Amino acid sequence: MNALAEAAPAAERIVVPVALAERSYDILIGRHQLCEAAQVIASRFPGARAAIVTDTNLATLHAPALESCLQQAGVTATRLTIPPGESSKSYARFSELCDGLLAAKIERNDLVIALGGGVVGDLSGFAASVLRRGVRLVQIPTSLLAQVDSSVGGKTGINSSHGKNLIGAFHQPALVVCDTALLDTLSEREFKAGYAEVVKYGLIDDAAFFDWCEVNWRRVMEGGPERDHAVATACRAKAAVVARDEREDGDRALLNLGHTFAHALERLTRYDSARLVHGEAVAIGLSLAFRFSQRLGLCSGQDAGRVAAHLAAVGLPTRLQDVPGGAGTASDIVEAMTQDKKVKRGALTFILAHGIGKSFIAPGVATETAHDFIESELVERI
Amino acid sequence: MNALAEAAPAAERIVVPVALAERSYDILIGRHQLCEAAQVIASRFPGARAAIVTDTNLATLHAPALESCLQQAGVTATRLTIPPGESSKSYARFSELCDGLLAAKIERNDLVIALGGGVVGDLSGFAASVLRRGVRLVQIPTSLLAQVDSSVGGKTGINSSHGKNLIGAFHQPALVVCDTALLDTLSEREFKAGYAEVVKYGLIDDAAFFDWCEVNWRRVMEGGPERDHAVATACRAKAAVVARDEREDGDRALLNLGHTFAHALERLTRYDSARLVHGEAVAIGLSLAFRFSQRLGLCSGQDAGRVAAHLAAVGLPTRLQDVPGGAGTASDIVEAMTQDKKVKRGALTFILAHGIGKSFIAPGVATETAHDFIESELVERI
Ligand SMILES: NC(=O)c1ccc[n+]([C@@H]2O[C@H](COP(=O)([O-])OP(=O)(O)OC[C@H]3O[C@@H](n4cnc5c(N)ncnc54)[C@H](O)[C@@H]3O)[C@@H](O)[C@H]2O)c1
Ligand SMILES: NC(=O)c1ccc[n+]([C@@H]2O[C@H](COP(=O)([O-])OP(=O)(O)OC[C@H]3O[C@@H](n4cnc5c(N)ncnc54)[C@H](O)[C@@H]3O)[C@@H](O)[C@H]2O)c1
């Protein structure tokens, strides 16, 4: 695997290894990596056929380029397209996609290539994990959120009417390719939403990276080396956590910083992306997690203030009042949190922080404590 | 785990361990084991709630007994019932079952208990493997086929219109309980069908067990210690293969003895159990595998004759002509075999034998060779 890192000019491509014994893989990061990715696929998986799964947006924007790169590299590929948006993470699309992959004659040594955002990655990753009891998956994430979060770590899945991501599998990809030039076509709103997850890694355990974000965020948006650095830093952080705790039995839960609140808000806004997309909910969740920590006397008001100020400067929401149409009452929010799968026998688990870069898992937070905090947020900030 | 084996009176319960490192588990075998199973569940998985998945036949016959045993042992259980038969291994039942398990609030530390034949086991095993990305599964197989084959080894799955078991997961159970008294209510036809899989283990690599079967098969049908011995021998054989090759990358494929033919016949009879059930197709497949081996000069005519004679004595079909309504032409059968997932890039893989107890994997058998053999079978035996 190191041979790759040496062969590529350092400035152009960053290789982040994910160390998971026989399930180890590389994340390749850089601009204009599609043809290089096709070469890597052809050499690492000789003879494998590929099915590209993508959504209708990416089918126009980037699938043709990937297909011509694969063709040049001698890889036979077919394309399967799903509608964009969270509603594609459904049982119905799952069974359609599985049947589509079978119709495309994808066998156990072949590949599924997920070209898209987290929706395409989660759905096609789950399909790949169960097709013939598991075929290889290559993730080519096209949204910032997917590049820094969902494509790495092997979580795949679909939603049920009982909640998000409740049906799924751990299925590590065989390769992840983050072509940061693909993000040039992403809407500003989606880019910012993904950026909330970038900031999260600084807040978890890398205060220096948070400092860097405060200074460099505009250049991350514009593209160029800062964008690649941000994606690589996020991937390295996620890879390290996943390597320590592949199946979230322990401190992988740190990655849920901001997410207990975020999932509740997404649930209360009925996953209506017109109102709130995941990363926006995370931005509010990060701000709340730090203010909650402050209120519990764990974290300074200065740190909590910096977190919200940076996210707001970028143009992300940071308060419950920022949810279009409102998030509901404190009871609604607590109720929505207790339906989350991170609930263990009634007690709520939060990720809290002693400061920027000092997050920790706090299991067993009483629902009343959370309720009081949320109520104060709703009152104080009207 | 050995503590268990010591605690139980040897004559009453046999414990077969399946050695798979951190996924190891026990198979408990004996008559009237439901209440003991409930005790084991209560002590090994303290605090876990259980969802019993069963079919409408078992719901009347055996679910109430299991439920009262669980209640006595202090385990909270709910019941989810599916229609009996292969058609329940569908996307539609899968999503219904997942939603049912979520509605029953089965969380990551809870249990799914599959009480039924291979259909219940395969469907609920698959659902357990993906529910919240994996919850524990206890198999309580109620058909002979499920006790000696499908409940052990972790293969789970559902069917697609493209073929059987094409969507699924490897998900090892946490415990398997083979209560051989449950088989008393099984129809003679289903019992015999399961018996074909028992004989298979002798044919693969245990000639002495095949000898034993020829002598003792009637007592296996009647119940008593011979039945337990047969189930335990089969489970031990399967456990050993699975421990060597959990994900069928190598010699686990030996368990497919007779199955390349069997799957083709099931496909050609459209999985219509009125015409052919799986074990009957396997009985024909075993006979064909030995006659094919004989024709290729690998195996003596005497051994091939003994295989068919024993299966016929039990009342199982052994010839293509035994398929009600006919199996189709040689081309139909070869065509159906090439659609099977054991096909690698056009070449057919068979399990062939140098004699009883001397089976081996034969990859790359030319389709013409198979075609000629099948044609001779259809001609010679009209
Ligand atoms: N598996 C995990 O570990 C994990 C982690 C975090 C989030 N997720 C999941 O990820 C999903 C969200 O992912 P997402 O934010 O990428 O959403 P998404 O996949 O819906 O993409 C957002 C929108 O951007 C479009 N898009 C994507 N790339 C584009 C590009 N390069 N140019 C133009 N448009 C582009 C898509 O077509 C879509 O309309 C959620 O379902 C969430 O549950 C999974
Ligand atoms: N997972 C594996 O490794 C594996 C291996 C072999 C077969 N299989 C699968 O197993 C399935 C076949 O299993 P099966 O033969 O048990 O079929 P099944 O589950 O359909 O059961 C056969 C019939 O017997 C009834 N029944 C079961 N137990 C009974 C009892 N104790 N008393 C009365 N009736 C009872 C059932 O209700 C059903 O009507 C197939 O789908 C096959 O693909 C899986």
Side-chain angles (χ1 to χ4, degrees):
Chain A
M1 306 243 163
N2 282 334
L4 242 178
E6 284 156 26
E12 288 182 5
R13 179 161 67 182
I14 304 167
V15 180
V16 175
V18 185
L20 285 166
E22 75 282 4
R23 289 184 300 286
S24 296
Y25 52 96
D26 284 339
I27 310 169
L28 314 183
I29 300 157
R31 288 184 76 82
H32 305 300
Q33 293 295 314
L34 291 186
C35 280
E36 305 231 18
Q39 299 284 359
V40 173
I41 288 169
S43 73
R44 290 202 191 166
F45 315 116
R49 293 153 44 88
I52 300 169
V53 182
T54 196
D55 73 20
T56 46
N57 294 333
L58 282 316
T60 327
L61 289 169
H62 301 299
L66 176 62
E67 282 162 354
S68 82
C69 290
L70 287 170
Q71 200 178 6
Q72 281 165 42
V75 180
T76 309
T78 43
R79 189 202 294 180
L80 296 159
T81 308
I82 63 167
E86 189 66 31
S87 62
S88 282
K89 283 175 59 177
S90 67
Y91 292 117
R93 292 294 169 203
F94 164 73
S95 54
E96 266 175 44
L97 179 57
C98 289
D99 281 347
L101 292 168
L102 290 168
K105 298 214 174 289
I106 296 301
E107 296 184 11
R108 211 163 153 184
N109 290 314
D110 294 331
L111 292 176
V112 172
I113 301 180
L115 177 75
V119 165
V120 166
D122 281 7
L123 173 68
S124 46
F126 182 40
S129 81
V130 300
L131 190 82
R132 300 173 185 279
R133 297 200 186 90
V135 301
R136 276 183 298 224
L137 171 70
V138 172
Q139 292 267 17
I140 306 189
T142 65
S143 70
L144 180 56
L145 182 127
Q147 293 196 350
V148 300
D149 189 359
S150 63
S151 67
V152 174
K155 279 196 192 178
T156 69
I158 57 174
N159 307 324
S160 146
S161 59
H162 294 274
K164 269 196 65 167
N165 300 323
L166 289 177
I167 306 300
F170 285 94
H171 187 58
Q172 297 295 343
L175 178 71
V176 180
V177 180
C178 296
D179 182 336
T180 52
L182 300 181
L183 305 181
D184 294 348
T185 58
L186 197 63
S187 72
E188 194 182 316
R189 183 177 175 201
E190 291 290 353
F191 196 100
K192 287 179 177 172
Y195 181 76
E197 299 278 7
V198 173
V199 171
K200 183 186 74 175
Y201 294 104
L203 298 179
I204 291 174
D205 63 358
D206 190 350
F209 181 58
F210 182 79
D211 297 346
W212 183 93
C213 285
E214 284 180 319
V215 175
N216 292 285
W217 67 271
R218 276 197 186 79
R219 278 186 289 272
V220 173
M221 305 240 160
E222 289 156 15
E226 286 83 2
R227 183 186 286 172
D228 294 6
H229 175 73
V231 170
T233 304
C235 286
R236 252 181 232 113
K238 180 143 188 188
V241 174
V242 167
R244 281 201 304 274
D245 177 21
E246 185 177 2
R247 295 183 71 102
E248 196 166 329
D249 301 312
D251 72 357
R252 181 162 177 171
L254 282 175
L255 297 175
N256 290 323
L257 179 62
H259 283 62
T260 306
F261 291 111
H263 289 157
L265 298 180
E266 288 183 272
R267 187 187 296 264
L268 289 167
T269 53
R270 297 166 190 278
Y271 306 101
D272 176 358
S273 62
R275 289 174 69 189
L276 205 63
V277 299
H278 179 67
E280 291 167 344
V282 169
I284 298 175
L286 293 173
S287 308
L288 290 175
F290 272 77
R291 283 201 294 274
F292 193 18
S293 301
Q294 176 192 350
R295 189 182 164 97
L296 295 173
L298 299 165
C299 162
S300 73
Q302 199 192 354
D303 274 11
R306 262 179 84 193
V307 172
H310 177 52
L311 294 168
V314 168
L316 282 163
T318 59
R319 309 174 314 149
L320 292 171
Q321 289 79 355
D322 295 336
V323 176
T329 66
S331 302
D332 294 340
I333 296 170
V334 170
E335 162 72 17
M337 288 193 301
T338 58
Q339 285 173 35
D340 199 75
K341 64 182 164 177
K342 277 175 285 300
V343 176
K344 287 212 175 111
R345 312 243 161 259
L348 283 169
T349 296
F350 283 90
I351 314 303
L352 297 175
H354 294 296
I356 288 169
K358 294 181 192 154
S359 297
F360 64 97
I361 302 170
V365 174
T367 48
E368 298 79 45
T369 311
H371 184 277
D372 289 354
F373 164 68
I374 294 165
E375 200 141 68
S376 73
E377 283 280 313
L378 287 167
V379 173
E380 278 171 32
R381 295 169 190 270
I382 281 172
Chain B
M1 306 243 164
N2 282 334
L4 242 176
E6 282 156 28
E12 288 182 8
R13 177 162 66 182
I14 304 168
V15 180
V16 174
V18 185
L20 285 166
E22 75 283 5
R23 290 185 299 285
S24 296
Y25 53 96
D26 285 338
I27 311 169
L28 315 183
I29 300 157
R31 288 184 77 82
H32 306 299
Q33 293 294 314
L34 291 187
C35 280
E36 306 232 17
Q39 298 285 0
V40 173
I41 287 170
S43 73
R44 290 201 192 168
F45 315 115
R49 294 152 45 88
I52 300 169
V53 182
T54 196
D55 74 19
T56 46
N57 294 334
L58 282 316
T60 327
L61 289 168
H62 301 299
L66 176 62
E67 283 162 354
S68 82
C69 292
L70 286 171
Q71 200 178 6
Q72 281 166 41
V75 179
T76 309
T78 42
R79 190 202 293 180
L80 295 159
T81 308
I82 62 166
E86 190 67 31
S87 62
S88 283
K89 283 174 58 176
S90 66
Y91 292 117
R93 293 291 169 206
F94 164 72
S95 53
E96 265 175 43
L97 179 56
C98 289
D99 281 347
L101 292 168
L102 290 169
K105 299 214 175 287
I106 296 300
E107 296 184 11
R108 210 162 154 184
N109 290 315
D110 294 330
L111 292 175
V112 171
I113 301 179
L115 177 75
V119 166
V120 166
D122 282 9
L123 173 67
S124 45
F126 182 39
S129 81
V130 300
L131 191 81
R132 299 173 186 279
R133 296 203 185 87
V135 301
R136 276 183 298 223
L137 171 70
V138 172
Q139 293 267 18
I140 306 188
T142 64
S143 70
L144 180 57
L145 182 127
Q147 293 196 351
V148 300
D149 189 359
S150 62
S151 68
V152 174
K155 278 196 192 179
T156 69
I158 58 174
N159 306 324
S160 145
S161 59
H162 293 274
K164 268 195 66 165
N165 300 323
L166 289 178
I167 307 299
F170 285 94
H171 188 58
Q172 297 295 342
L175 179 71
V176 180
V177 180
C178 296
D179 182 335
T180 53
L182 300 182
L183 305 181
D184 294 348
T185 58
L186 196 63
S187 72
E188 194 181 318
R189 185 179 174 201
E190 290 290 354
F191 195 101
K192 287 178 175 172
Y195 181 77
E197 299 279 6
V198 173
V199 171
K200 184 186 75 176
Y201 294 103
L203 298 179
I204 291 175
D205 63 359
D206 189 350
F209 181 59
F210 182 79
D211 297 347
W212 183 92
C213 285
E214 285 180 318
V215 176
N216 292 286
W217 67 271
R218 277 196 186 77
R219 279 186 290 272
V220 173
M221 307 239 159
E222 289 156 15
E226 286 83 3
R227 183 186 286 173
D228 294 5
H229 175 74
V231 171
T233 304
C235 286
R236 251 181 234 114
K238 180 143 187 187
V241 174
V242 168
R244 281 201 304 274
D245 177 21
E246 184 177 3
R247 295 183 72 101
E248 196 167 328
D249 302 312
D251 72 357
R252 180 162 178 172
L254 281 174
L255 297 175
N256 290 324
L257 179 63
H259 283 62
T260 306
F261 291 111
H263 289 156
L265 298 180
E266 288 183 272
R267 187 187 296 264
L268 290 167
T269 52
R270 295 165 190 279
Y271 305 101
D272 177 358
S273 62
R275 290 172 70 188
L276 205 63
V277 300
H278 178 68
E280 291 167 345
V282 169
I284 299 175
L286 292 172
S287 308
L288 290 174
F290 272 78
R291 283 201 294 275
F292 192 19
S293 302
Q294 176 191 351
R295 191 183 162 97
L296 296 173
L298 299 164
C299 160
S300 73
Q302 201 192 351
D303 274 11
R306 262 180 83 194
V307 172
H310 177 52
L311 294 168
V314 167
L316 282 162
T318 59
R319 309 173 315 149
L320 291 171
Q321 289 80 354
D322 294 336
V323 176
T329 65
S331 302
D332 295 338
I333 296 169
V334 170
E335 162 73 15
M337 289 193 300
T338 58
Q339 286 172 35
D340 199 75
K341 66 182 162 175
K342 277 175 286 300
V343 177
K344 285 212 176 112
R345 314 239 159 261
L348 283 168
T349 296
F350 282 90
I351 314 301
L352 298 175
H354 294 296
I356 288 169
K358 294 179 192 157
S359 297
F360 63 96
I361 302 170
V365 174
T367 48
E368 298 78 46
T369 312
H371 183 276
D372 290 355
F373 163 68
I374 294 166
E375 200 141 69
S376 74
E377 282 280 312
L378 287 167
V379 173
E380 278 172 31
R381 296 170 188 267
I382 284 172

